[in-house]
Amino acid sequence: MHIMEGFLPLQWCIVWWVVALPCILLGMYQLKKVLAADREALPLLGVTGGFIFILSSLKLPSVTGSSSHPTGTGLSIISFGPWITCVVCAIVLLFQALFLAHGGLSTLGANIVSMGVVGPVVGYAVYRLLRDTSVNIYITVFLVTAFADMFTYIATSLELALAYPAETGGIASSFILFLGIFALTQIPLAIVEGIVLALVFKYIVALKPDILIRLNIFSKEKINSARSEAS
Amino acid sequence: MKFRYTLEILTIIAIVAFSVMFLYSSSNGYGEKFVGTDSAGSYAIAELSGTPLENFQPLIPQWKPPGTEIESTLFALQAAIGGIIVGVVFGFWISSHKKT
């Protein structure tokens, strides 16, 4: 999902930076508030952010004949919401732009919007939709993770389609072209990522159920039933 | 029936299935190059805009890892940073869980 440095016209770089900046600022504000209210949220932030660092560093070959990055944002979205996730994504993407030439400083805004805003907002919507239903929490984690991952790449496709509409067919035609490149490769990766993060969440539930209940991530009943299932 | 290790088994099945699909598709010559989607996206941009790939110059000067080996090292460093944080926190949680 990295749009490489120089591959986005200046006006679109500015547009996406303007969208990304308020989201980062809101995330920093929320982060300060969450950590001031409960210092025990810090280790959870470390684990959920750590998985973004790990998974987004992997370039996995997919069955479509190309390779791509998972995003690893699912746990952070569920635990802290989309805006704090946006801050963590911004740090990871800055690291990759500065040291790996994956993405660049001018395209960083666009990359933050796809991985740190659109993916997490869609993932968070899925989480809110399922949180108070009878759906199992691991299935919720799986769906949030998979949807956040897929929509990150759908957002990248849209960003590129807007900047480079096809001569025939315009934005819609080039959106389909970019979806074929980004989203198709991502489907198997999103499924595997969803299952892996659901498993990680199982261990968090087993070790630190109290913090999940205190931060109101899932109800006490749901956490307790997930714990009894796993033991 | 509730089974304790359902998620663990599902994870193993998913990873094995993913690997088998990857090996099958690459053995068919379908994925000869396994080019990254980021690069594939850049090729598509060049084609759509009718501008040769080499004409896309960075808007902001950028440092590039001098070689793919160094790039791999830096990617591994990124994963290591995440891994260390996750390991430390899980270690801390497990030790405090055992105490209680």
Side-chain angles (χ1 to χ4, degrees), chain A residues 6-88:
Chain A
F7 279 84
L8 208 56
L10 182 64
Q11 66 270 28
W12 282 107
C13 294
I14 295 168
V15 165
W16 297 120
W17 262 114
V18 168
V19 177
L21 270 178
C23 300
I24 298 171
L25 291 175
L26 179 59
M28 286 165 81
Y29 170 73
Q30 282 190 351
L31 191 59
K32 208 175 148 193
K33 236 171 69 175
V34 167
L35 293 180
D38 192 343
R39 287 302 286 181
E40 278 207 43
L42 189 62
L44 184 64
L45 180 74
V47 165
T48 57
F51 272 98
I52 299 180
F53 264 80
I54 298 170
L55 290 180
S56 68
S57 75
L58 304 174
K59 229 192 250 179
L60 296 174
S62 183
V63 290
T64 51
S66 55
S67 55
S68 188
H69 300 266
T71 58
T73 49
L75 292 178
S76 177
I77 295 166
I78 287 172
S79 306
F80 297 102
W83 314 121
I84 291 177
T85 305
C86 179
V87 176
V88 183

Side-chain angles (χ1 to χ4, degrees), chain A residues 12 80 106 126 166 168 171 191 207 220 228:
Chain A
W12 282 107
F80 297 102
S106 71
V126 173
T168 48
I171 292 169
I191 293 170
L207 291 170
K220 199 174 177 179
S228 66

Side-chain angles (χ1 to χ4, degrees), chain B residues 29 34 45 47 50 55 59 61 64 71 74 81 96 100:
Chain B
F34 273 91
I45 291 169
E47 212 177 295
N55 284 16
L59 296 178
K64 284 193 172 161
E71 187 185 321
L74 289 167
I81 293 170
S96 58
T100 55

Side-chain angles (χ1 to χ4, degrees), chain A residues 78 126-127 130 133-147 194-195 197-199 201 218 222 229, chain B residues 7 10:
Chain A
I78 287 172
V126 173
Y127 160 69
L130 299 177
T133 64
S134 59
V135 175
N136 179 297
I137 61 172
Y138 302 122
I139 294 175
T140 306
V141 176
F142 167 77
L143 289 173
V144 168
T145 306
F147 270 88
I195 297 174
L197 288 191
L199 178 65
F201 198 72
F218 284 106
K222 268 197 155 186
E229 268 177 49
Chain B
L7 261 175
L10 265 177

Side-chain angles (χ1 to χ4, degrees), chain A residues 155-204:
Chain A
T156 303
S157 306
L158 186 63
E159 286 168 350
L160 289 175
L162 288 169
Y164 298 101
E167 260 179 46
T168 48
I171 292 169
S173 164
S174 74
F175 182 48
I176 291 166
L177 173 76
F178 285 114
L179 274 182
I181 294 169
F182 289 105
L184 212 60
T185 304
Q186 206 61 23
I187 295 170
L189 296 180
I191 293 170
V192 176
E193 184 188 339
I195 297 174
V196 169
L197 288 191
L199 178 65
V200 174
F201 198 72
K202 179 185 163 181
Y203 297 128
I204 299 177

